[in-house]
């Protein structure tokens, strides 16, 4: 009886330690709840947007593109990410031209756009990204896309008015 009681007493402490370990891992972001995935990330991103935490939201939307590029949530994440990018790009392109929002993030979005074209919804995605933005963003895209095998077989054609992109199409010739 004595051995049985001693063995039985260990179970609650093992369970307690296991739960504590899981709780710490979740709090530190080292583990995900089952069933999370892209939908969980999208919900977190939307919540961050609602709270005005745009940098955190943008990072979450980028994570969806990296980890779940073919998910339905990726489509919605694109819209949010582009809106945040456009706001930051416009805000910083003259004030801080070496800001990542001007120097690095456009290239990430160009790559994301290439994936959208490959999935068949590139026309709309290109219009969302470029329309209303400065002509220099389109020129930067052309320089980025030149000679890349992933952009072979199609090109983005844009028209501007007074330095602002007005019309965007994908030419698949």
């Amino acid at each position: 009886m004595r051995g049985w009681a001693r063995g039985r007493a260990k179970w609650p402490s093992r369970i307690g330690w296991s739960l504590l370990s899981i709780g710490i891992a979740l709090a530190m972001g080292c583990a995900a709840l089952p069933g999370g995935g892209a939908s969980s990330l999208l919900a977190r991103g939307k919540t961050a947007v609602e709270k005005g935490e745009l940098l955190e939201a943008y990072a979450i939307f980028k994570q969806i593109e990296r980890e779940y590029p073919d998910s339905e949530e990726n489509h919605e994440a694109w819209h949010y990410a582009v809106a945040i990018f456009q706001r930051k790009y416009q805000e910083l392109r003259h004030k801080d031209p070496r800001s990542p929002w001007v120097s690095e993030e456009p290239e990430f979005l160009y790559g994301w756009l290439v994936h959208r074209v490959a999935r068949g919804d590139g026309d709309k995605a290109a219009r969302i990204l470029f329309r209303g933005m400065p002509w220099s963003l389109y020129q930067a895209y052309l320089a980025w896309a030149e000679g890349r095998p992933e952009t072979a077989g199609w090109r983005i054609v844009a028209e501007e008015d007074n330095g602002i992109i007005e019309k965007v199409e994908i030419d698949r010739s």
Side-chain angles (χ1 to χ4, degrees):
M1 183 83 162
R2 189 172 183 193
W4 176 82
R6 193 177 324 146
R8 185 178 162 116
K10 289 182 184 177
W11 278 104
S13 63
R14 286 183 191 154
I15 292 171
W17 281 111
S18 295
L19 291 174
L20 179 62
S21 296
I22 291 170
I24 290 170
L26 286 171
M28 294 177 68
C30 298
L33 290 172
S39 59
S40 176
L41 285 171
L42 184 61
R44 282 182 41 216
K46 287 179 177 182
T47 299
V49 168
E50 290 169 5
K51 291 180 178 179
E53 299 167 350
L54 298 183
L55 299 180
E56 180 180 337
Y58 185 79
I60 292 168
F61 298 135
K62 282 178 65 172
Q63 184 179 355
I64 293 171
E65 165 59 11
R66 286 187 186 118
E67 295 179 15
Y68 306 98
D70 296 322
S71 69
E72 192 62 38
E73 291 82 1
N74 185 284
H75 178 75
E76 194 170 350
W78 166 261
H79 292 273
Y80 280 101
V82 168
I84 294 168
F85 162 76
Q86 288 174 334
R87 179 175 174 179
K88 298 304 287 180
Y89 182 88
Q90 295 282 35
E91 176 186 324
L92 296 169
R93 72 188 186 105
H94 293 296
K95 279 196 253 180
D96 186 7
R98 294 183 354 188
S99 162
W101 290 100
V102 180
S103 61
E104 298 166 23
E105 292 310 321
E107 291 186 4
F108 180 81
L109 289 171
Y110 301 155
W112 197 344
L113 177 61
V114 167
H115 295 144
R116 303 276 317 245
V117 171
R119 289 190 295 261
D121 62 347
D123 290 290
K124 185 175 180 182
R127 284 191 292 276
I128 289 168
L129 177 59
F130 289 111
R131 194 180 295 159
M133 294 297 286
W135 186 250
S136 59
L137 182 67
Y138 173 67
Q139 291 173 317
Y141 166 78
L142 292 176
W144 177 86
E146 187 175 327
R148 288 185 180 265
E150 62 266 33
T151 61
W154 59 274
R155 65 188 179 110
I156 295 176
V157 179
E159 294 177 13
E160 57 92 19
D161 183 19
N162 201 24
I164 303 299
I165 301 168
E166 294 288 322
K167 185 177 178 183
V168 180
E169 294 178 355
I170 292 185
D171 178 18
R172 291 178 171 81
S173 55

